[in-house]
């Protein structure tokens, strides 16, 4: 018995010794190698990290009017497993939210642990739902981007998606500035998940988004959109765009496209309505490009205002015959009359005097064929084929705006360069922004000189004559000098030809011509009046110009 007891004691002693060694090794492991993991687990049981959301920056017009701002609204969610009478809950929610209860019931019957019922609802509705006292329903605060002027300047502003990311326009281009940086809050909690008053609280404060001030003028934007809408309604046009630019620095005073969308209701928008035609519509400019052809001719000395040719109603070039509008023959015609009469044969004459290289260079110098660099998301550059791909006839067609494409903004920038004395500016829409580091202003940037000051002044006078004495008389405004040019362009078809009897009508002009305050370009797609669509475009120009004159208190430069 004693021998057996001694053996048992030795076995037990050995077992305890092994267990002691194992426990010691385990303790040493947790105290050294796995100490960090153990602390993390322990800390995670008593503390939580909460995100402190940054406030998205406000967007204002140049006078301080709010164009976009963010507010906090409640979003209603459900934990389906905790809702006992799902049908009754769905009916009550449907009444308070003004919705069909069937889709709500479908969400409540889902296998999801947590679902949104409706996001960003009015506070009154959220309070009414809370008063229902239904276990399993709750709400959280979420930011909602508001646009107090409805769809005004929608394409300039862009929108914010459900994830809080800016899309298109200023919201997309300046998203990093506007969204700011979220902060964090570390809070110690008790086993009931309540914050411990004297516990650990470490905070990294959020950095709110920058507040942006645009070059857009709410009054001018309103006038421009009204004039564009009236023109499209009158012509039953498929679409249209308008740009109002300050030629002195490239600041965009107004920019609009139709069809449009509401930035706060993007879910109902069509892809076409989301496209900003001012910066993403590539169309053949037609006769509005004759001003650029003429600028190159004057600047190189290829022609002068008094240079003339015998207009037979057509011009032969590269084995092709290019006709004037309606085949009209004007007889002896000088260069000023080319613009007054919008003679295609005259533009071909200037293009021939320039030659392919100088005409191609001038088109590029005026910024066509590449993006303007405006600070908006989604800009395209138009198309100008490389000179090596030009045929001899292209010198003639390019001279009067066929065979190449531009955007309304590109054309506005080109006319702004003529208006201001020959300097091409990069257009911009954000005048300044203010963040935690202070205010930052956008400095106007030039991209080069396109023509001499003398050439710009001469061409300006020729464009004034086009309005006073030519086909653009519909753009005349009593008491003010106006410079401008109409444009009627055919629409290319997929087979490489042109669509029969469908046109794009446009007008590009600036006023007062002697000391221009603004440039306006308006473009209408497929106007019902066909070749007479430029009449409506000119009427829209005069409407915007007159409203701008009154608003900006610009004094007449002529006797009425």
């Amino acid at each position: 018995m004693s021998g057996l007891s001694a053996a048992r004691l030795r076995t037990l002693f050995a077992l305890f010794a092994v267990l002691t060694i194992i426990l010691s090794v385990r303790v040493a492991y947790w105290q050294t190698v796995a100490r960090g993991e153990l602390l993390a687990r322990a800390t995670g049981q008593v503390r939580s990290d909460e995100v402190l959301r940054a406030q998205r920056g406000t967007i204002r017009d140049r006078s301080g009017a709010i164009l976009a701002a963010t507010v906090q609204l409640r979003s209603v969610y459900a934990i389906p497993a905790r809702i006992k009478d799902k049908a009754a809950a769905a009916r009550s929610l449907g009444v308070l939210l003004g919705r069909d209860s069937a889709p709500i019931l479908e969400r409540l019957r889902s296998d999801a642990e947590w679902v949104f019922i409706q996001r960003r609802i009015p506070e009154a509705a959220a309070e009414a739902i809370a008063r229902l006292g239904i276990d399993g329903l709750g709400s959280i605060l979420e930011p909602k981007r508001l646009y107090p002027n409805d769809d005004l300047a929608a394409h300039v502003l862009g929108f914010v998606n459900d994830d809080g990311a800016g899309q298109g326009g200023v919201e997309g281009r300046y998203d990093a500035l506007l969204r700011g940086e979220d902060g964090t809050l570390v809070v110690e909690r008790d086993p009931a998940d309540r914050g411990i008053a004297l516990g650990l609280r470490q905070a990294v404060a959020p950095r709110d988004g920058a507040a942006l001030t645009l070059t857009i003028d709410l009054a001018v934007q309103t006038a421009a959109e009204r004039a564009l809408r009236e023109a499209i309604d009158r012509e039953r046009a498929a679409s249209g765009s308008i740009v109002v630019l300050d030629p002195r620095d490239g600041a965009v005073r107004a920019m609009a496209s139709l069809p449009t969308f509401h930035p706060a209701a993007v879910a109902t928008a069509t892809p076409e309505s989301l496209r900003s035609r001012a910066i993403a519509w590539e169309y053949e400019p037609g006769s509005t490009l004759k001003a650029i052809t003429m600028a190159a001719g004057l600047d190189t000395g290829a022609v002068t205002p008094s240079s003339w040719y015998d207009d037979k109603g057509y011009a032969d070039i590269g084995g092709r015959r290019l006709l004037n509008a309606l085949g009209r023959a004007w007889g002896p015609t000088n260069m000023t009359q080319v613009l007054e009469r919008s003679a295609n044969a005259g533009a071909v004459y200037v293009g021939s005097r320039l030659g392919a290289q100088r005409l191609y260079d001038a088109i590029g110098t005026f910024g066509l064929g590449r993006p303007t660099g405006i600070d908006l998301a989604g800009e395209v550059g138009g198309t100008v084929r490389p000179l090596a791909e030009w045929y001899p006839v292209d010198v003639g067609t390019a001279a009067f705006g066929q065979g190449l494409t531009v955007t309304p903004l590109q054309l506005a920038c080109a006319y702004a360069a003529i208006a201001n004395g020959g300097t091409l500016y990069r257009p911009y829409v954000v005048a300044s922004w203010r963040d935690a580091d202070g205010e930052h202003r956008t400095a106007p940037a030039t991209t080069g000189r396109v023509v001499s000051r003398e050439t710009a002044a001469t061409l300006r006078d020729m464009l004034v004559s086009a309005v006073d004495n030519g086909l653009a008389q519909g753009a005349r405004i009593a008491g003010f000098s106006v410079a401008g040019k109409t444009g009627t362009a055919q629409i290319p078809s997929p087979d490489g030809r042109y669509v029969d009897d469908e046109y794009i009508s446009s007008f590009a002009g600036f006023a007062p011509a002697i000391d221009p305050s603004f440039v306006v370009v308006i473009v209408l797609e497929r106007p019902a009046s066909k070749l007479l669509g430029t009449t409506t475009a000119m009427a829209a120009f005069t409407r915007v110009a007159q409203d701008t004159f009154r608003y900006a208190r610009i004094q007449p430069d002529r006797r009425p």
Side-chain angles (χ1 to χ4, degrees):
M1 259 327 254
S2 61
L4 182 59
S5 296
R8 287 180 176 177
L9 286 174
R10 284 195 296 273
T11 301
L12 289 173
F13 178 78
L15 180 60
F16 280 124
V18 171
L19 290 174
T20 301
I21 293 172
I22 292 173
L23 181 61
S24 298
V25 171
R26 194 64 176 169
V27 169
Y29 170 78
W30 284 113
Q31 288 181 335
T32 56
V33 178
R35 182 173 182 274
E37 179 185 352
L38 185 63
L39 285 173
R41 289 183 183 178
T43 303
Q45 292 173 357
V46 297
R47 86 178 203 184
S48 64
D49 292 353
E50 298 179 1
V51 177
L52 302 177
R53 298 294 180 187
Q55 182 84 350
R56 191 172 183 87
T58 301
I59 302 176
R60 300 175 184 270
D61 88 327
R62 67 193 304 264
S63 63
I66 293 178
L67 300 177
T70 297
V71 297
Q72 298 292 325
L73 295 180
R74 292 208 168 266
S75 293
V76 178
Y77 67 86
I79 303 174
R82 289 172 54 182
I83 300 177
K84 295 179 180 179
D85 191 341
K86 294 179 173 55
R91 285 194 298 271
S92 299
L93 289 170
V95 170
L96 294 177
L97 295 174
R99 291 175 51 191
D100 181 6
S101 62
I104 299 176
L105 181 59
E106 184 179 347
R107 282 178 171 265
L108 295 181
R109 286 175 172 171
S110 71
D111 295 329
E113 294 182 3
W114 190 96
V115 293
F116 271 123
I117 299 300
Q118 188 160 319
R119 303 180 71 173
R120 302 178 178 90
I121 65 174
E123 188 64 26
E127 291 175 356
I129 291 172
R131 286 196 295 269
L132 293 174
I134 298 176
D135 184 32
L137 288 183
S139 67
I140 58 173
L141 285 173
E142 284 195 299
K144 171 69 174 178
R145 197 65 162 168
L146 296 183
Y147 301 88
N149 300 290
D150 297 324
D151 61 357
L152 195 74
H155 292 102
V156 174
L157 294 172
F159 61 93
V160 176
N161 66 19
D162 281 341
D163 295 325
Q167 306 288 312
V170 170
E171 297 276 29
R173 174 65 176 76
Y174 287 89
D175 184 56
L177 269 179
L178 286 165
R179 70 163 55 234
E181 297 178 9
D182 292 339
T184 57
L185 176 65
V186 179
V187 180
E188 281 190 321
R189 297 185 177 278
D190 64 15
D193 197 31
R194 296 171 299 191
I196 301 174
L198 300 179
L200 174 66
R201 289 179 180 266
Q202 296 177 338
V204 176
R207 185 184 179 98
D208 288 342
L212 271 56
T213 298
L214 305 189
T215 61
I216 295 295
D217 190 307
L218 196 58
V220 179
Q221 181 74 29
T222 301
E225 292 200 21
R226 181 172 57 241
L228 177 63
R229 192 175 299 277
E230 289 174 353
I232 287 180
D233 289 346
R234 176 179 175 179
E235 289 290 346
R236 302 190 300 279
S239 70
S241 182
I242 190 167
V243 177
V244 182
L245 201 64
D246 190 331
R248 296 164 294 194
D249 60 3
V252 177
R253 292 286 180 253
M255 180 186 289
S257 300
L258 286 175
T260 188
F261 67 98
H262 196 309
V266 179
T268 62
T270 64
E272 273 302 295
S273 68
L274 292 173
R275 184 162 68 104
S276 174
R277 282 164 170 74
I279 62 173
W281 179 14
E282 298 173 307
Y283 71 99
E284 292 195 358
S287 294
T288 53
L289 198 84
K290 289 172 183 170
I292 294 173
T293 301
M294 194 63 70
L298 296 171
D299 206 52
T300 60
V303 296
T304 68
S306 59
S307 298
W308 68 278
Y309 72 103
D310 185 17
D311 192 302
K312 300 176 181 179
Y314 62 87
D316 292 325
I317 183 171
R320 296 274 301 279
R321 176 160 291 184
L322 305 178
L323 304 177
N324 284 340
L326 305 177
R328 182 167 182 177
W330 295 99
T333 301
N334 63 37
M335 295 301 101
T336 299
Q337 291 170 327
V338 168
L339 296 180
E340 291 174 356
R341 299 166 176 172
S342 196
N344 290 344
V348 176
Y349 171 80
V350 179
S352 298
R353 299 275 297 181
L354 282 167
Q357 184 66 61
R358 291 197 293 186
L359 179 58
Y360 176 81
D361 290 344
I363 291 170
T365 299
F366 270 91
L368 308 185
R370 65 177 184 273
T372 65
I374 190 172
D375 50 338
L376 289 174
E379 185 185 20
V380 301
T383 55
V384 179
R385 298 196 329 272
L387 185 59
E389 297 179 9
W390 281 31
Y391 294 99
V393 69
D394 289 330
V395 174
T397 56
F400 57 81
Q402 277 193 346
L404 54 84
T405 64
V406 302
T407 65
L409 178 62
Q410 285 178 321
L411 193 66
C413 290
Y415 271 73
I418 297 169
N420 69 31
T423 300
L424 188 66
Y425 280 93
R426 179 182 298 116
Y428 65 104
V429 296
V430 173
S432 64
W433 68 91
R434 178 176 290 278
D435 58 16
D437 298 325
E439 186 172 8
H440 313 268
R441 299 196 64 82
T442 302
T446 65
T447 59
R449 175 164 287 279
V450 295
V451 292
S452 69
R453 185 167 293 276
E454 294 73 22
T455 294
T458 299
L459 182 57
R460 177 200 65 201
D461 292 342
M462 296 168 72
L463 289 171
V464 169
S465 186
V467 173
D468 287 344
N469 308 305
L471 298 179
Q473 292 184 43
R476 288 188 297 184
I477 301 174
F480 293 92
S481 59
V482 176
K485 183 73 189 70
T486 57
T488 301
Q490 294 175 280
I491 300 174
S493 62
D495 63 3
R497 300 176 183 274
Y498 286 95
V499 178
D500 291 336
D501 206 27
E502 297 283 353
Y503 304 95
I504 291 175
S505 298
S506 60
F507 181 80
F510 50 87
I514 304 304
D515 183 18
S517 297
F518 56 85
V519 170
V520 178
V521 168
I522 178 168
V523 189
L524 304 175
E525 180 187 8
R526 292 181 168 89
S529 60
K530 311 295 183 180
L531 293 172
L532 297 179
T534 53
T535 302
T536 302
M538 286 186 286
F541 168 84
T542 59
R543 176 73 181 272
V544 174
Q546 289 170 331
D547 286 346
T548 303
F549 287 151
R550 285 192 294 268
Y551 167 71
R553 298 180 181 178
I554 298 172
Q555 297 302 309
D557 64 342
R558 283 181 170 180
R559 291 184 179 180

